[in-house]
Structures are given as structure tokens and as C-alpha cells.
Amino acid sequence: MALFQKNTLPAPRHIAIIMDGNGRWAKQRGLPRNAGHKAGAETFRRIAAHCGKIGVQYLTVYAFSTENWKRSEEEVGGIMTLLENYLEEALRDMEKHRVRLKFFGDLSRLSPTLQAKCREAEGKTAVFATLQVNFCFNYGGRDEITRAAKAFAADVASGKCSAEELTEEKLASYLYSENIPDPELIIRPSGEMRISNFLLWQCAYSEFVFMDVLWPDFTAADLDKAIAEYHGRNRRFGGV
Ligand code: IPE
Ligand code: IPE
Ligand code: MG
């Protein structure tokens, strides 16, 4: 008998993941925190491939928050270097599997070289549509909403639109996630049960699955388990 029952129901259209637990994974092994981030990057690759296979259309991952700058210079520098080194390799993967890569977050705080590499990766994959990966880097939900409000205010000030035109849909069109459906499922591994400033607007009716596994140990089977749990939920959206 199979140990693990495969999901027969379709995968959610949009899955979001808070990739947490890299530091604890490294500590358990007596390794520096950045070894955990490296292992976490490998997990991301495997999980993105699995999402493509099971028909997920959008995968949004939280990689670095607007609050993560509080960490040591060594750790932050290590994460920046990891992203830079990893982008070229990731790009090959993405071109092969026809994955579109988008960055959500304020990239202006990154080095000019890294910013250019991120934009180049977005440009090179813009034609692909099998799976869209939204990579949240220097991302904060509050920052995203504040930026949207600011951009709308600027459009009002320049006469492009009037304040009365503001609706939920209109404000959403100024977010990084414009034109993308809200995530049906948000997964947080590592045992923490909080949102940590992730997708504050988009999570209004998302289903949350918290798991004890640390992100570098997270497997395709864990993802399938979370999806199975999602399918067992009764989503009411405020109705009965
Ligand atoms: C998530 O893992 C990656 C980032 C936030 C950059 P952590 O580094 O937060 O790992 P823990 O939570 O300390 O184990
Ligand atoms: C959230 O994890 C950010 C990412 C995974 C990128 P944190 O580890 O920064 O969140 P807290 O500090 O536990 O809330
Ligand atoms: Mg953490």
C-alpha cells in the first residue's frame, strides 16, 4: 500500500509560502546560518519544480522581509550573495521549465548589480506562462500597501484620476500582485504561527497551513499534505 496518498483534486491556482526555519536548520547541524539559507534555496528549487508539475499557476515565496535587514551584516550580505549567485542557475531552470519570474518588493535597496540581474531575469522569463513565481525580496505587506496608497495619491495629484474613484479593485491594481488572484493557500513551515508582514492585503480569505518542518527539510510530500488539508477546509467567504 502506498504510504502516501496523492491528491486527486486539482492544485490551488495560487500557493504562497513563508520559507522559514533556515537558521534553526543550520543551528541544529552546528553550521553557520548562511548554510541554512543555501539549503533553503535548494528546497525552493525543488518545490517550484513540483508546483509546475502539479499545475499550480502562481507560487509566491517570501525570501527576505523589510524587517530582515535587522540581522547581522554577515547574514544579510550572505543572503544577497546567495541570490546573486543563484539567479543565473535559477534562470536556466526557469527557461527550461517555462517559468516566469517576478520580484515583489523594493529592489532599490539592493546593489545596482543585483538589481540589474533581477530585472534581467524578469525580462528573460516574461514570455513564459506555465508557472509564475513571485519572489518576495525586501518585501513587506505594509510597505506594499503604503506604496500603493502613495502611487494612487500621486495619480490624483496629477489629475490622472479622482479620489472618489478609489475602490478595493482600484487599490489592488497598485499592488505588486496586480492582475494576480489572491492565494487560496498560504503555508508557513518552521512551527511559527504568524504572518510576519506577508501578503497582508491578499491573505484576506486565504487558508493557512502551519507545519512544524523547517524549510530546508520541506519536501514535495509536505506540499501535497498541505494541499490535501486545504481541500478539506470549508471556505465560506463570510457566507453560510
Ligand atoms: C527564513 O529563515 C529566511 C529569512 C528570513 C531570510 P530564518 O533565517 O528566519 O530561519 P529561522 O527562523 O531563524 O530558523
Ligand atoms: C519571515 O520570517 C520572513 C521570511 C521567511 C523571509 P522571519 O523569520 O523574518 O519572521 P519572524 O521574525 O519569525 O516573525
Ligand atoms: Mg525565521
Side-chain angles (χ1 to χ4, degrees):
M1 198 179 83
L3 272 176
F4 175 70
Q5 189 77 43
K6 273 216 169 343
N7 286 310
T8 46
L9 292 162
R13 197 154 50 139
H14 184 177
I15 295 179
I17 306 179
I18 300 175
M19 303 190 292
D20 195 22
N22 297 348
R24 279 163 282 172
W25 182 92
K27 194 171 177 199
Q28 279 177 357
R29 286 160 179 76
L31 297 168
R33 292 182 62 86
N34 280 327
H37 297 314
K38 193 153 183 255
E42 280 310 313
T43 301
F44 162 69
R45 256 174 104 173
R46 280 188 277 108
I47 295 303
H50 185 62
C51 282
K53 235 181 264 169
I54 63 175
V56 174
Q57 284 174 41
Y58 303 94
L59 170 67
T60 303
V61 292
Y62 203 9
F64 191 85
S65 77
T66 46
E67 286 72 51
N68 287 146
W69 297 99
K70 289 178 192 160
R71 300 184 179 197
S72 73
E73 218 174 285
E74 188 192 353
E75 181 169 354
V76 172
I79 292 170
M80 297 298 151
T81 308
L82 180 65
L83 178 62
E84 199 166 330
N85 293 340
Y86 175 71
L87 264 176
E88 275 164 40
E89 225 175 294
L91 205 55
R92 278 197 294 276
D93 265 16
M94 290 180 174
E95 285 176 327
K96 188 166 146 206
H97 299 296
R98 307 189 64 75
V99 173
R100 178 175 191 178
L101 178 65
K102 293 259 289 182
F103 284 91
F104 284 11
D106 175 17
L107 300 188
S108 72
R109 211 172 147 181
L110 314 187
S111 76
T113 323
L114 186 50
Q115 284 180 51
K117 281 195 175 174
C118 293
R119 295 304 178 208
E120 187 196 342
E122 284 185 329
K124 280 191 170 160
T125 61
V127 292
F128 301 143
T130 308
L131 167 70
Q132 177 169 325
V133 169
N134 305 310
F135 200 84
C136 300
F137 203 85
N138 193 19
Y139 171 89
R142 287 186 172 179
D143 183 61
E144 180 183 31
I145 295 167
T146 307
R147 276 163 198 283
K150 216 177 189 172
F152 176 73
D155 282 349
V156 170
S158 71
K160 204 170 149 194
C161 54
S162 75
E164 287 68 41
E165 277 173 52
L166 190 63
T167 58
E168 290 185 9
E169 290 71 28
K170 180 85 179 161
L171 189 62
S173 74
Y174 287 87
L175 300 173
Y176 296 119
S177 57
E178 57 166 334
N179 304 323
I180 295 175
D182 291 338
E184 289 95 339
L185 170 62
I186 299 183
I187 303 168
R188 183 166 191 160
S190 94
E192 307 298 353
M193 289 189 247
R194 55 178 168 262
I195 190 80
S196 302
N197 205 10
F198 188 44
L199 303 180
L200 296 184
W201 174 279
Q202 299 85 345
C203 77
Y205 277 100
S206 301
E207 295 297 328
F208 286 87
V209 173
F210 296 105
M211 303 174 93
D212 279 332
V213 57
L214 301 172
W215 176 248
D217 290 328
F218 192 93
T219 61
D222 290 317
L223 187 80
D224 290 342
K225 228 187 281 172
I227 293 172
E229 187 170 334
Y230 161 81
H231 282 305
R233 301 275 177 90
N234 178 10
R235 304 184 78 199
R236 286 186 293 278
F237 300 97
V240 287

